[in-house]
Amino acid sequence: MGGLPMARIRVAIINVTGYVGADLARILVRHPNVEIRSVTGRSEVGKKVGEVFPHLSQLDLTIESETADVDLVFCALPHKASAEAVIPLLKKGVRVVDTSADFRLKDPQEYQHWYEYAHPAPDALSRAVYGLPELHHEEIRNAQLVANPGCYPTSAILALAPAVKAGIVEGPIIVDAKSGVSGSGRTLNLASHFSEVNENVAAYGLKGHRHLPEISQELNALSKLGPLSLTFLPHLIPMTRGMLSSCYSRLNTGVTPRAENAEAEIRAMYKAFYAKSPFVQVVDYPPQTKYTLGSNMCLVHPAVDQRTGTLIVISCLDNLVKGAAGQAIQNMNIMMGFPEASGIDMLPLYP
Amino acid sequence: MGGLPMARIRVAIINVTGYVGADLARILVRHPNVEIRSVTGRSEVGKKVGEVFPHLSQLDLTIESETADVDLVFCALPHKASAEAVIPLLKKGVRVVDTSADFRLKDPQEYQHWYEYAHPAPDALSRAVYGLPELHHEEIRNAQLVANPGCYPTSAILALAPAVKAGIVEGPIIVDAKSGVSGSGRTLNLASHFSEVNENVAAYGLKGHRHLPEISQELNALSKLGPLSLTFLPHLIPMTRGMLSSCYSRLNTGVTPRAENAEAEIRAMYKAFYAKSPFVQVVDYPPQTKYTLGSNMCLVHPAVDQRTGTLIVISCLDNLVKGAAGQAIQNMNIMMGFPEASGIDMLPLYP
Amino acid sequence: MGGLPMARIRVAIINVTGYVGADLARILVRHPNVEIRSVTGRSEVGKKVGEVFPHLSQLDLTIESETADVDLVFCALPHKASAEAVIPLLKKGVRVVDTSADFRLKDPQEYQHWYEYAHPAPDALSRAVYGLPELHHEEIRNAQLVANPGCYPTSAILALAPAVKAGIVEGPIIVDAKSGVSGSGRTLNLASHFSEVNENVAAYGLKGHRHLPEISQELNALSKLGPLSLTFLPHLIPMTRGMLSSCYSRLNTGVTPRAENAEAEIRAMYKAFYAKSPFVQVVDYPPQTKYTLGSNMCLVHPAVDQRTGTLIVISCLDNLVKGAAGQAIQNMNIMMGFPEASGIDMLPLYP
Amino acid sequence: MGGLPMARIRVAIINVTGYVGADLARILVRHPNVEIRSVTGRSEVGKKVGEVFPHLSQLDLTIESETADVDLVFCALPHKASAEAVIPLLKKGVRVVDTSADFRLKDPQEYQHWYEYAHPAPDALSRAVYGLPELHHEEIRNAQLVANPGCYPTSAILALAPAVKAGIVEGPIIVDAKSGVSGSGRTLNLASHFSEVNENVAAYGLKGHRHLPEISQELNALSKLGPLSLTFLPHLIPMTRGMLSSCYSRLNTGVTPRAENAEAEIRAMYKAFYAKSPFVQVVDYPPQTKYTLGSNMCLVHPAVDQRTGTLIVISCLDNLVKGAAGQAIQNMNIMMGFPEASGIDMLPLYP
């Protein structure tokens, strides 16, 4: 870059009025390589961003119904609405990071099964790249459309990918995930009503949560031992931001690492796996979500329950940053050739 | 009882100054068959109970260092201290409900392994009854010493006992438990410091939690298929009271219930198992801790993940009531021939 | 009552599906003198109460659209809807405790000013009794219609009534109140959305809150010094239940109590004022809402800031119990000649 | 600065192991003009910062017992210990920002009265500058020792300074403040124990809080009407970070602004007062602490209760940023001639 300041690219945020959209705006306002040119909303059109979100009052933009011409669009709409907004952009040749689920699954049948309607642009699915930089860095660099992973899949896949790729677990795999409430979004809902959620913990999605097929798709692609048997159960806990996944699977018999020093070997293998990933830190202590609040870091801690030969991996992250907006910007950085950590190297807010 | 009011028994609470002791006092003050005659503390001796706990200002008792002569003693000391206090009481023939871990394990070697010192009264272990009324009702009736279960074991054993006894799971079993912070007690600790715990979730005890051997002991005793492989991982979440355990195990192949209607059959089997248990309710929805706050009820929800053939059982309870003080009083009711629900039929405080 | 068990009266709860209605049901289920005969809802008609509120699954009643014939009706509708439901009941001669604001203000002009429509039954206003038992015990005993006070007014009036009646404050009076979120009810609202409320505190109602005229009406009626100048500002804090009011007013110059022992004299005067009130406890320490959780107690602590000659009174209560459902049942007890504490002598749930 | 990058100054943090020290480190790590050269602790000496605070693992420094030679020292010790550490630094000519209370009060008698021992260096008091940049910008620029204000005083003084200076309030002034728990620090304490604080609100310091004399000192210095009568009452509410002060005072009679458009005039006056202050925003809506989380901004909202002629000012901030570490860095920026917002222009983390 030879001493010259890099030109800023122009970006738009579709649906800035949800939590993911607002967090995209919050982080992008301070991004050295970006100018937010345009923001849209499904409600609040015509208002200044700062009227809806006082914490963004420095962002002097009016919420519009249509996106301006820009270099890259972040689409933060819910699924279905997102595909409808993204498809015309693709045709115009605009690069897109989509934070919805619409382009995450490769198989349109699988999409139809989980989302209960036919995908509106099945052809686009094969061209979209699953935006987990730790697994798909090269493809993301060249992608026109990046499908930003869900928060649960990010935490679960990062926790399990090294073990699955190494073939040291034979399943069944259990992913027991605990999420803060902001993951449910800003739309009103009795399940996000303060008096219902506070001082409460609840499992949900026992009949199958829509984030499961993403996790399976990505882990199966890494598995040498065939498709995995995966049970995923999310829980809502009384906090705003943060997600912790506790993953369990029996270690393969006869496979290194051996019981004696299994934990050390596995941890070393995890560290090697993520050696070039600036936003995954393999740690030697059980991590807590508080160590990630507001940051783009995912902390991963593999451990071995020697009594039962079980691999336990704890991962945690901020569901709106590494689990959504931060990771979307990480993907943009890779697509645009910016330093991967540009604008997203915030330290966690503690306590 | 022929119209005559039942005489009240006299009880003492050892260590009223902890959360379990205070909750014993709170519930016993309103118990129709009990008079609290004496309370002791390791600190605060000489103060009125209401000076330490304003919510108990109606209890006109002074905290003493020695227990008065009573019909039954609740001992709410931590382990080790509890055994030292209980042994002399046993010699005097007093009936005791001990809420510590000191008399829960049958095997003194196991105790020594987990608590890291030799049990001071190994002979007493065989005479103590594990105070989970849903499994040991008859033995509790005749016991001199009842070892009140831990909060995690209560929730895990009640979730899994019917399945293990029926032989429908072959393990490995995963118990992923989430607890409110009051389970850590009133003793100061960075892990219970508000700013560290709030907006945070953390796994702990990855190297083995002391509640594990209780769970194994009780479930293995029910198992027809030999000792179970059990992984137990507790988590601390930012709420005061409440505990939810999510339990996972592969269903046996070739064993009824068959996949088609497995969930309905298993749920019916669970309901039959707990038909006579007033404080376990098998429910058709995923229960939330909020539905148990302040009550002695444990809610249990068995479900089947049909994709993977996994039994998932969610159980929840108030860790200080059914997980501690309420269950201790339930045990007392059984020991004394009072109605099992006497004094502990509080409805949950919602929201 | 001569040894004979008292017959249970039959009651109905109108709008059991809100938080106040649900808490009425929770407490009345255990009330020794009451049988809940009928519950109605504006939604959920036809469902069992336990389907809507699992914590009330013991209450074997179906939610209906019309109230059955009963001895007393609790009406827990919002204002306006409540008046419409109550007026026909009054004509039938049924006794009513109304938890809405519809019958609290004596002056229909004042009602119209604050609620922005003409009162539908201004004649009823003069016959309704303001249901604060500590001030209107005798009138409540004989009332057909009791207007249960709001939560904020209950805490503010109980904090200030003794001082105002004694004429020791000359105003202006500041009432700075902090409330848990359940006071906003079960209706969805961004201001009750978990992620918006958690880790947040906000003042609201700066242009005038509807609970202000109640406070003024009751305190002015006690004032010897003419109408008071009263500023009331409510705040929402991130907890479910609980309310604490901090009240400030300059002490009159030249009026006893004198500065030297002012605090002791004032506290003694407060204790005398509430000597016969089972649900107000004047305490010698700054009370916390946790000491009232789930109980019907209001704790009041008058103190003197000697530097400035300011009376500070802290009061706290559970906004859904003494601030709503519990106080409604206290009113019923008085109306029916039951012991005032019948069914509402629960101890606080701590911690 | 002519295109050349500004050299980084070297700073030290004394007592990095408390919450203020840790937040200084967190922010300074990203400060473009600063290199953290040295950190000390009263405990944890010899450990890496990241071992104590995983969120600071990027900071490759060992906690030492002695401070290295640096250009500026942040001292984050408690009072008394702080004075002892600062005095030798002053003698060596080092510039210091002290976050304790030791150099905030000008009058050593006042210090002795509130802190209950004689100030160890009364001479230093007159040379220290009270580090509220909105009032003392010029003095801070030239100071060797800046006494960083307390969190409560920052919020109260910023709320009231324009009104007091303009002479529009005649008192008595009531400051009712609500604080998150992190203000109590990292030292263990029953009043910061999760189960005691959660779901609770409590007033404290009724006999006089040590932050009161700071508030009085600064406001009296601005007052044209003589010393003010000020009552300050802090409250602890169940959140980690955030502080909101609600300030009340009767508007002077006969003084502009007149009742009709008083609020608009006062708000304009406030906006003018803070026109050059980048970290105070006068807002037209009642602000919430969530709008300041993690930022260095103080939001101020003056309003008029027309019924009573009372000025109500709501102010809010993050108690660890604008209330402590962020303001300390703002002071350093001014002392060093850096842009005032350098390194502290973080946007709030919402939700």
Side-chain angles (χ1 to χ4, degrees):
Chain A
M1 275 155 264
L4 284 178
M6 193 177 295
R8 287 170 179 255
I9 64 164
R10 300 158 308 156
V11 306
I13 302 167
I14 298 182
N15 201 33
V16 76
T17 52
Y19 285 147
V20 175
D23 231 29
L24 281 164
R26 177 182 67 86
I27 303 173
L28 290 169
V29 169
R30 288 282 179 271
H31 197 293
N33 315 115
V34 166
E35 176 200 351
I36 306 175
R37 180 62 65 90
S38 157
V39 296
T40 73
R42 299 195 296 175
S43 58
E44 317 280 9
V45 171
K47 287 193 186 167
K48 289 276 181 187
V49 172
E51 290 178 77
V52 181
F53 296 118
H55 73 294
L56 296 177
S57 60
Q58 293 186 22
L59 184 61
D60 186 25
L61 282 175
T62 298
I63 299 171
E64 297 173 297
S65 55
E66 294 295 322
T67 307
D69 279 347
V70 293
D71 301 306
L72 185 142
V73 170
F74 292 96
C75 187
L77 286 163
H79 67 88
K80 196 168 189 181
S82 201
E84 288 161 9
V86 165
I87 291 162
L89 294 170
L90 295 180
K91 289 184 180 151
K92 289 202 280 183
V94 180
R95 299 184 86 176
V96 175
V97 179
D98 177 32
T99 66
S100 87
D102 275 348
F103 300 98
R104 294 177 191 158
L105 301 179
K106 297 295 168 202
D107 179 353
Q109 303 301 326
E110 192 76 353
Y111 185 91
Q112 184 160 355
H113 172 74
W114 288 95
Y115 292 91
E116 296 173 347
Y117 60 90
H119 195 283
D123 294 349
L125 292 181
S126 58
R127 287 158 47 207
V129 173
Y130 190 77
L132 195 63
E134 292 76 13
L135 296 185
H136 301 293
H137 200 279
E138 282 310 301
E139 301 155 81
I140 293 165
R141 186 188 301 269
N142 302 308
Q144 185 192 3
L145 171 58
V146 169
N148 209 54
C151 46
Y152 286 122
T154 298
S155 75
I157 298 167
L158 293 177
L160 289 164
V164 167
K165 189 167 181 209
I168 61 170
V169 291
E170 57 185 340
I173 295 174
I174 305 292
V175 176
D176 183 297
K178 299 91 180 159
S179 176
V181 181
S182 62
S184 310
R186 200 164 180 252
T187 304
L188 302 182
N189 188 324
L190 195 60
S192 313
H193 197 58
F194 183 87
S195 300
E196 303 286 324
V197 179
N198 188 39
E199 289 291 290
N200 194 31
V201 50
Y204 67 105
L206 275 82
K207 292 300 170 200
H209 186 281
R210 285 167 170 173
H211 279 178
L212 171 63
E214 281 182 52
I215 305 173
S216 292
Q217 169 182 286
E218 295 299 311
L219 292 180
N220 283 342
L222 293 173
S223 171
K224 296 174 175 161
L225 305 171
L228 299 159
S229 167
L230 185 74
T231 295
F232 164 61
L233 189 65
H235 299 74
L236 220 52
I237 63 175
M239 61 186 203
T240 301
R241 282 175 182 245
M243 169 169 290
L244 184 138
S245 291
S246 308
C247 309
Y248 308 86
S249 188
R250 188 59 56 100
L251 285 165
N252 282 342
T253 50
V255 171
T256 0
R258 294 171 307 282
E260 194 58 36
N261 52 357
E263 192 164 286
E265 289 185 20
I266 292 172
R267 209 166 286 159
M269 182 264 283
Y270 266 69
K271 287 180 180 176
F273 189 99
Y274 290 120
K276 295 186 178 171
S277 297
F279 292 113
V280 178
Q281 194 179 347
V282 178
V283 294
D284 296 326
Y285 55 85
Q288 312 190 1
T289 58
K290 193 173 277 292
Y291 303 152
T292 64
L293 177 65
S295 89
N296 198 50
M297 193 64 74
C298 178
L299 302 178
V300 175
H301 175 66
V304 171
D305 179 0
Q306 292 230 4
R307 286 182 321 93
T308 61
T310 301
L311 177 68
I312 303 176
V313 191
I314 311 290
S315 69
C316 66
L317 49 76
D318 183 319
N319 57 298
L320 287 176
V321 187
K322 180 62 176 169
Q327 182 148 274
I329 295 167
Q330 186 182 355
N331 280 315
M332 177 201 72
N333 285 341
I334 296 168
M335 293 164 82
M336 291 296 166
F338 302 146
E340 190 166 342
S342 190
I344 47 174
D345 62 346
M346 307 82 76
L347 291 186
L349 192 66
Y350 160 93
Chain B
M1 275 155 266
L4 284 177
M6 192 178 295
R8 288 172 178 251
I9 64 163
R10 300 159 308 156
V11 306
I13 302 168
I14 297 181
N15 201 34
V16 76
T17 53
Y19 285 149
V20 175
D23 231 28
L24 280 164
R26 177 183 66 87
I27 304 172
L28 289 170
V29 168
R30 288 285 180 269
H31 196 295
N33 315 116
V34 165
E35 176 201 351
I36 306 176
R37 178 64 63 89
S38 157
V39 296
T40 74
R42 297 196 295 175
S43 57
E44 316 281 10
V45 171
K47 287 192 187 168
K48 288 277 181 185
V49 172
E51 288 177 78
V52 181
F53 296 118
H55 73 294
L56 295 177
S57 60
Q58 292 185 23
L59 183 61
D60 186 25
L61 281 175
T62 298
I63 299 171
E64 297 174 296
S65 55
E66 294 294 323
T67 307
D69 279 347
V70 292
D71 301 307
L72 185 143
V73 170
F74 292 96
C75 186
L77 286 163
H79 67 88
K80 194 166 187 183
S82 202
E84 287 162 9
V86 166
I87 291 162
L89 294 169
L90 295 180
K91 289 184 180 152
K92 287 202 281 181
V94 180
R95 299 183 85 174
V96 175
V97 179
D98 177 33
T99 67
S100 86
D102 276 346
F103 299 98
R104 294 176 189 159
L105 300 180
K106 296 295 168 202
D107 179 353
Q109 302 301 327
E110 193 77 354
Y111 185 91
Q112 183 160 355
H113 172 73
W114 288 95
Y115 293 90
E116 297 172 347
Y117 59 89
H119 195 284
D123 293 350
L125 292 181
S126 58
R127 287 157 47 207
V129 172
Y130 191 77
L132 194 64
E134 292 76 14
L135 295 186
H136 302 292
H137 200 279
E138 283 309 302
E139 300 154 81
I140 293 164
R141 186 189 300 271
N142 302 308
Q144 186 194 0
L145 170 59
V146 170
N148 209 53
C151 46
Y152 285 121
T154 298
S155 76
I157 299 167
L158 293 176
L160 290 165
V164 167
K165 188 167 181 209
I168 62 171
V169 292
E170 56 185 339
I173 295 175
I174 305 291
V175 176
D176 183 297
K178 297 92 180 160
S179 176
V181 181
S182 61
S184 309
R186 200 163 180 253
T187 304
L188 301 182
N189 189 323
L190 195 60
S192 312
H193 197 59
F194 183 86
S195 299
E196 303 286 323
V197 179
N198 188 38
E199 289 292 289
N200 194 32
V201 51
Y204 66 105
L206 274 83
K207 294 297 170 201
H209 186 281
R210 286 169 170 170
H211 279 178
L212 172 63
E214 282 180 52
I215 305 173
S216 292
Q217 168 183 289
E218 294 299 309
L219 292 180
N220 283 342
L222 292 173
S223 172
K224 293 173 177 166
L225 305 172
L228 299 159
S229 167
L230 184 75
T231 295
F232 164 61
L233 190 64
H235 299 72
L236 218 54
I237 63 174
M239 60 186 204
T240 302
R241 283 176 181 243
M243 168 169 291
L244 184 138
S245 292
S246 307
C247 308
Y248 308 87
S249 187
R250 188 58 56 98
L251 284 164
N252 283 343
T253 51
V255 172
T256 0
R258 293 171 307 279
E260 193 59 36
N261 52 359
E263 190 163 288
E265 288 185 21
I266 291 173
R267 209 165 288 158
M269 182 262 284
Y270 266 70
K271 287 181 180 177
F273 189 97
Y274 290 119
K276 295 186 178 169
S277 297
F279 292 113
V280 178
Q281 195 179 348
V282 178
V283 295
D284 296 327
Y285 55 84
Q288 313 189 0
T289 57
K290 195 175 274 293
Y291 302 153
T292 64
L293 177 64
S295 90
N296 197 49
M297 192 65 74
C298 177
L299 302 177
V300 176
H301 176 66
V304 171
D305 179 0
Q306 292 230 2
R307 285 181 325 92
T308 60
T310 301
L311 176 69
I312 303 175
V313 191
I314 312 290
S315 68
C316 67
L317 49 77
D318 183 318
N319 56 298
L320 288 177
V321 187
K322 181 62 176 168
Q327 182 147 276
I329 296 168
Q330 186 181 354
N331 280 315
M332 176 201 73
N333 285 341
I334 296 168
M335 292 164 84
M336 292 295 166
F338 302 146
E340 190 166 342
S342 189
I344 47 174
D345 62 345
M346 308 82 75
L347 291 185
L349 192 66
Y350 159 93
Chain C
M1 276 154 265
L4 283 179
M6 193 177 295
R8 288 170 178 253
I9 65 164
R10 299 159 308 156
V11 306
I13 302 167
I14 297 181
N15 200 34
V16 76
T17 53
Y19 285 148
V20 175
D23 231 29
L24 281 164
R26 178 182 67 86
I27 303 172
L28 289 169
V29 168
R30 289 282 178 271
H31 196 294
N33 314 114
V34 166
E35 176 200 351
I36 306 175
R37 179 62 66 89
S38 157
V39 295
T40 74
R42 298 194 297 173
S43 58
E44 316 281 9
V45 171
K47 286 193 187 166
K48 288 278 181 184
V49 172
E51 290 178 75
V52 181
F53 296 118
H55 74 292
L56 295 177
S57 60
Q58 292 185 24
L59 183 61
D60 186 24
L61 281 175
T62 298
I63 299 171
E64 296 174 295
S65 55
E66 293 295 323
T67 306
D69 279 347
V70 293
D71 301 306
L72 184 143
V73 170
F74 293 96
C75 187
L77 285 163
H79 67 88
K80 194 167 190 184
S82 202
E84 288 161 9
V86 165
I87 291 161
L89 294 170
L90 295 179
K91 289 184 179 152
K92 287 202 282 182
V94 179
R95 299 183 85 173
V96 176
V97 179
D98 178 32
T99 66
S100 86
D102 276 348
F103 300 98
R104 295 177 189 159
L105 301 179
K106 296 296 168 202
D107 177 354
Q109 303 301 328
E110 192 77 352
Y111 184 91
Q112 184 159 355
H113 171 74
W114 288 94
Y115 293 90
E116 297 172 346
Y117 60 89
H119 194 283
D123 294 349
L125 291 181
S126 58
R127 287 158 46 208
V129 172
Y130 191 76
L132 194 64
E134 292 74 16
L135 295 186
H136 302 291
H137 200 279
E138 282 310 301
E139 300 154 81
I140 293 165
R141 186 189 301 271
N142 301 309
Q144 186 193 3
L145 170 59
V146 170
N148 209 53
C151 46
Y152 286 121
T154 298
S155 75
I157 299 167
L158 293 177
L160 290 164
V164 168
K165 189 165 182 211
I168 61 170
V169 291
E170 56 186 338
I173 295 174
I174 305 290
V175 176
D176 183 297
K178 298 92 180 159
S179 175
V181 181
S182 62
S184 310
R186 200 164 179 251
T187 304
L188 301 182
N189 190 323
L190 195 60
S192 313
H193 197 57
F194 183 87
S195 300
E196 303 286 325
V197 179
N198 189 39
E199 290 291 290
N200 195 31
V201 50
Y204 66 106
L206 274 82
K207 292 299 170 199
H209 185 281
R210 286 168 170 170
H211 279 177
L212 171 63
E214 281 180 53
I215 305 173
S216 293
Q217 169 182 287
E218 295 299 310
L219 292 181
N220 283 342
L222 293 172
S223 172
K224 294 173 175 162
L225 306 170
L228 300 158
S229 166
L230 184 74
T231 295
F232 164 61
L233 189 64
H235 299 74
L236 219 52
I237 62 173
M239 61 186 202
T240 303
R241 283 176 181 243
M243 168 170 290
L244 184 138
S245 292
S246 308
C247 308
Y248 308 87
S249 188
R250 189 58 55 100
L251 284 165
N252 283 342
T253 50
V255 170
T256 1
R258 295 170 308 281
E260 193 59 36
N261 52 358
E263 191 164 286
E265 289 186 21
I266 292 173
R267 208 165 289 159
M269 181 263 282
Y270 266 68
K271 287 180 181 178
F273 189 98
Y274 290 121
K276 294 185 178 171
S277 297
F279 292 113
V280 177
Q281 195 179 347
V282 179
V283 294
D284 296 326
Y285 54 86
Q288 314 191 359
T289 58
K290 194 174 276 291
Y291 302 153
T292 62
L293 177 64
S295 90
N296 197 51
M297 192 66 73
C298 177
L299 301 178
V300 176
H301 176 66
V304 171
D305 179 0
Q306 292 230 3
R307 286 183 322 94
T308 60
T310 301
L311 177 69
I312 302 176
V313 191
I314 312 289
S315 69
C316 67
L317 50 76
D318 182 319
N319 57 299
L320 288 177
V321 186
K322 181 62 175 169
Q327 182 148 274
I329 295 168
Q330 185 182 355
N331 280 315
M332 176 200 74
N333 286 340
I334 296 168
M335 293 163 84
M336 291 297 165
F338 302 145
E340 190 165 344
S342 189
I344 46 174
D345 62 346
M346 308 81 73
L347 292 186
L349 192 65
Y350 160 93
Chain D
M1 275 155 266
L4 284 178
M6 191 177 296
R8 287 172 178 253
I9 64 163
R10 299 159 307 156
V11 306
I13 302 167
I14 297 181
N15 201 33
V16 76
T17 52
Y19 285 149
V20 175
D23 231 28
L24 281 165
R26 178 182 68 85
I27 302 172
L28 290 170
V29 169
R30 289 283 179 270
H31 196 294
N33 314 116
V34 166
E35 176 201 352
I36 306 176
R37 179 62 65 91
S38 155
V39 296
T40 73
R42 298 195 295 174
S43 57
E44 317 280 9
V45 172
K47 287 193 187 168
K48 289 276 181 187
V49 172
E51 290 178 77
V52 180
F53 295 118
H55 74 293
L56 296 177
S57 59
Q58 292 185 24
L59 184 60
D60 186 24
L61 281 175
T62 299
I63 299 172
E64 296 174 297
S65 54
E66 294 296 322
T67 306
D69 278 347
V70 293
D71 301 307
L72 185 143
V73 170
F74 293 98
C75 187
L77 286 163
H79 67 87
K80 195 168 189 182
S82 203
E84 288 161 9
V86 165
I87 291 162
L89 294 170
L90 295 180
K91 289 184 180 152
K92 287 202 282 182
V94 180
R95 299 183 84 175
V96 175
V97 179
D98 177 32
T99 66
S100 85
D102 276 347
F103 299 97
R104 295 176 189 158
L105 300 179
K106 297 294 170 204
D107 179 352
Q109 304 301 327
E110 192 77 353
Y111 184 91
Q112 183 160 356
H113 171 74
W114 287 95
Y115 293 90
E116 297 172 345
Y117 60 90
H119 195 282
D123 294 349
L125 291 181
S126 58
R127 288 156 47 207
V129 172
Y130 191 76
L132 194 65
E134 292 75 16
L135 295 186
H136 302 293
H137 200 279
E138 282 310 301
E139 300 154 81
I140 293 166
R141 186 189 300 270
N142 301 309
Q144 185 193 2
L145 170 59
V146 170
N148 209 54
C151 46
Y152 286 121
T154 299
S155 76
I157 299 166
L158 293 176
L160 290 165
V164 168
K165 189 167 181 208
I168 62 170
V169 291
E170 58 185 338
I173 295 175
I174 305 291
V175 176
D176 184 296
K178 298 91 179 159
S179 175
V181 181
S182 62
S184 309
R186 200 164 180 252
T187 304
L188 301 182
N189 188 324
L190 195 60
S192 310
H193 196 58
F194 184 87
S195 300
E196 302 286 323
V197 178
N198 188 40
E199 290 291 288
N200 194 32
V201 50
Y204 66 105
L206 275 82
K207 292 299 168 200
H209 186 281
R210 287 169 169 170
H211 279 177
L212 171 63
E214 282 181 52
I215 306 174
S216 293
Q217 168 182 287
E218 295 299 310
L219 292 180
N220 283 342
L222 293 173
S223 173
K224 295 174 175 162
L225 305 171
L228 300 158
S229 166
L230 184 74
T231 295
F232 164 60
L233 189 64
H235 299 73
L236 218 53
I237 63 174
M239 62 186 201
T240 302
R241 282 176 182 246
M243 170 170 289
L244 186 140
S245 292
S246 307
C247 309
Y248 308 86
S249 188
R250 189 59 56 99
L251 285 164
N252 283 343
T253 51
V255 171
T256 359
R258 294 170 309 281
E260 193 60 36
N261 51 359
E263 191 164 286
E265 289 186 21
I266 292 173
R267 209 165 288 161
M269 181 263 282
Y270 266 68
K271 287 180 181 177
F273 189 98
Y274 290 119
K276 295 186 178 170
S277 297
F279 292 114
V280 177
Q281 196 179 346
V282 178
V283 295
D284 295 328
Y285 54 85
Q288 312 190 0
T289 57
K290 194 176 276 292
Y291 302 154
T292 63
L293 177 64
S295 89
N296 197 51
M297 192 65 75
C298 178
L299 302 177
V300 176
H301 176 66
V304 171
D305 180 1
Q306 293 230 2
R307 287 181 321 93
T308 61
T310 301
L311 176 69
I312 303 177
V313 191
I314 311 289
S315 69
C316 66
L317 49 78
D318 182 319
N319 56 299
L320 287 178
V321 187
K322 182 63 175 166
Q327 181 147 275
I329 296 168
Q330 186 181 354
N331 279 316
M332 176 201 72
N333 286 341
I334 296 167
M335 293 163 83
M336 292 296 165
F338 302 145
E340 189 165 343
S342 189
I344 47 174
D345 63 345
M346 308 81 74
L347 292 185
L349 191 66
Y350 160 92

